[in-house]
Amino acid sequence: MQVRENYKLSQVKTIVNGIIIGMLAGSTVSVFRWSIGHMTNLMRYLYINSIHHLSFLLTAIVINVIIGLLVGWFLKQQPDIKGSGIPQVEGQLLGEVDYGWWAVLWRKFIGGILAIGSGLYLGREGPSIQLGSTLGQGVAQFTKQVGFDRQVLISSGAAAGLSAAFNAPIASTLFVLEEIYHNFSTNIWIVSLTSAVTSDMVATYVFGLKPVLYMRSTPLPLKYFSWVIILGIVLGVLGRLYQLVILRMGKWYRHTHISWYFNGLIPLLLVIPLGALFPHLLGGGSDIILRLSSANYPTLILCLYFVIRFVFSMLSYGSGLPGGIFLPILCLGGLIGAIVGSIAVNLGLMNSLYFSSFIIMGMAGYFAAISKAPFTAILLITEMVGTLTHLLGLAVVSLIAYGVLDLLNGKPVYYSMLQQLLKVQTKMNLGRTVEIMETVYAGSQMDGKMVRQIKWPKGSLLTKIQRNGVEIVPAGGTLIRWGDTLFINVSTKNQHPITQRIIALTTET
């Protein structure tokens, strides 16, 4: 057994890198977030006045056409800025996607501000994650870190980006572990949490301490939890509908016979009349979420808002413009919760005092179903709303929605988007290897076996084992135990099936 003597020094160095990445990501995403907010307010003003003044209408059309052409040009130059960026980050951490960090960083930054700031139903969180990850990639390049160390910095940048976007450092860290990296390694979560907290401090300095989606609410008593079950079922079914539609939007846009990088012109023109008629529905959806608890909308109006948000969210994201689905999903979930809560109140089956609880639970359950990341959903909404009193309701609705979507054969939406991304790639980088990291779980096929006893997939090579902070160079007789973290070099040719086989060997049977 060989033990690296400077292991602790290496850990300190990595954490310092995490602080640097957190500061960079926090600053970048704060400017990104601030710019989007101010541009959205400007465009909303133009749209509202376009009804009464032709000059405002013409100005809005000219601005949005210019945005569509400019961002389309960015997309043609660098296709990896397309959409939210989360599938690209996930693919990068799996070694299946790679790109130059600077080329993506500045185009995603400018393109995201223009696309989201125009009022399209897109979220800032996905681009923020990609902005943070590219900054992590840049730090790795400047410090000459490769392999697993580079992946650590990229993932910590992703956590920092989401943290700055939502002021939710704990949920941001968990999202990277649960949804993007699919690994709870100590190395990953410590550095990701460090960068997320650092980034949150920067964003808090800019935007203040008030939670992003703060609303007054009263936790739901247990006697009303039958409505939570109903809400969870509805969220699961509608979550599956969301997945089916959004994963097919690319095919729909191909029927327009417009060059794919200029598809954004369609929603950019359609958003003008929408912004004039429903200005409070513009953007990612935070405005309408904050209005729901106090506006006393009739149930039919809530249903109308849901249909508008659902359809135009699909058109906005399907166009390929830089922007995410994270916040739009929360908005749709909040509307579903408001509809169910409104029905319960109108039937006299529930006190209106608990209406806000349904909005909060709806956001968590819808995100938990679509992303299949219930832990993240529970913590994210808790941090964004700013209260711990809804934890039981959030947990129940998230698990029910998750289970319903699973019964409907739904897959994590970002993973499905990654598979689509890989299918459209014209080239595969053959002949290379990438380093992956997997944790051995108790009861798995590897647990308690020696290295030579394991049928390793062709194209994989175990290079080291990390156990309780100690790194071991493996030999044929080395015993693998649960809790070990394995570092494995995998050929980029057929990388995905090889990785899936290794995951099957390390997880519970």
Side-chain angles (χ1 to χ4, degrees), residues 350-395:
M350 188 184 70
N351 192 311
S352 60
L353 180 68
Y354 307 114
F355 177 72
S356 295
S357 297
F358 279 78
I359 300 170
I360 294 169
M361 291 187 295
M363 289 190 289
Y366 206 51
F367 181 80
I370 293 171
S371 67
K372 299 199 77 173
F375 286 112
T376 299
I378 295 166
L379 281 178
L380 180 70
I381 300 305
T382 297
E383 288 189 280
M384 292 181 72
V385 174
T387 177
L388 295 170
T389 57
H390 297 280
L391 278 177
L392 181 58
L394 294 178

Side-chain angles (χ1 to χ4, degrees), residues 254-304:
R254 283 197 286 273
H255 292 304
T256 62
H257 302 295
I258 301 174
S259 297
W260 70 269
Y261 38 85
F262 290 133
N263 283 337
L265 288 168
I266 296 174
L268 282 166
L269 292 175
L270 291 176
V271 76
I272 298 173
L274 271 178
L277 296 172
F278 306 101
H280 52 288
L281 293 182
L282 290 174
S286 56
D287 288 347
I288 186 63
I289 291 173
L290 294 173
R291 284 170 173 258
L292 286 176
S293 61
S294 58
N296 295 319
Y297 292 116
T299 305
L300 287 178
I301 294 297
L302 291 172
C303 292
L304 174 64

Side-chain angles (χ1 to χ4, degrees), residues 65-76 253 256 258-268 319-321:
V65 168
I66 291 173
I67 290 173
L69 295 175
L70 180 60
V71 177
W73 182 51
F74 288 168
L75 284 164
K76 184 178 181 181
Y253 266 103
T256 62
I258 301 174
S259 297
W260 70 269
Y261 38 85
F262 290 133
N263 283 337
L265 288 168
I266 296 174
L268 282 166
S319 69
L321 289 171

Side-chain angles (χ1 to χ4, degrees), residues 9-69:
L9 182 61
S10 176
Q11 284 287 85
V12 172
K13 178 183 175 182
T14 305
I15 291 174
V16 170
N17 285 334
I19 294 174
I20 294 171
I21 292 169
M23 294 177 66
L24 291 172
S27 302
T28 302
V29 173
S30 292
V31 175
F32 183 71
R33 179 176 161 186
W34 182 90
S35 302
I36 288 171
H38 281 73
M39 182 175 173
T40 301
N41 290 334
L42 172 62
M43 299 308 294
R44 181 184 287 114
Y45 175 78
L46 286 177
Y47 298 154
I48 292 174
N49 286 279
S50 65
I51 297 178
H52 307 291
H53 303 282
L54 181 61
S55 58
F56 282 90
L57 176 61
L58 293 176
T59 302
I61 292 173
V62 170
I63 290 175
N64 282 8
V65 168
I66 291 173
I67 290 173
L69 295 175

Side-chain angles (χ1 to χ4, degrees), residues 10 84 92 132 201-202 205 226 228 285 310 315 322 340 373 379 393 494:
S10 176
S84 72
Q92 194 174 35
M201 292 174 66
V202 176
Y205 179 79
S226 58
V228 177
F310 187 93
L315 289 173
V340 174
L379 281 178
N494 298 322

Side-chain angles (χ1 to χ4, degrees), residues 418-436:
L418 173 60
Q419 300 311 303
Q420 287 188 341
L421 175 66
L422 297 177
K423 286 179 182 178
V424 300
Q425 286 183 328
T426 56
K427 292 183 180 180
M428 287 193 66
N429 195 0
L430 305 179
R432 293 177 57 249
T433 61
V434 294
E435 187 178 59
I436 67 170

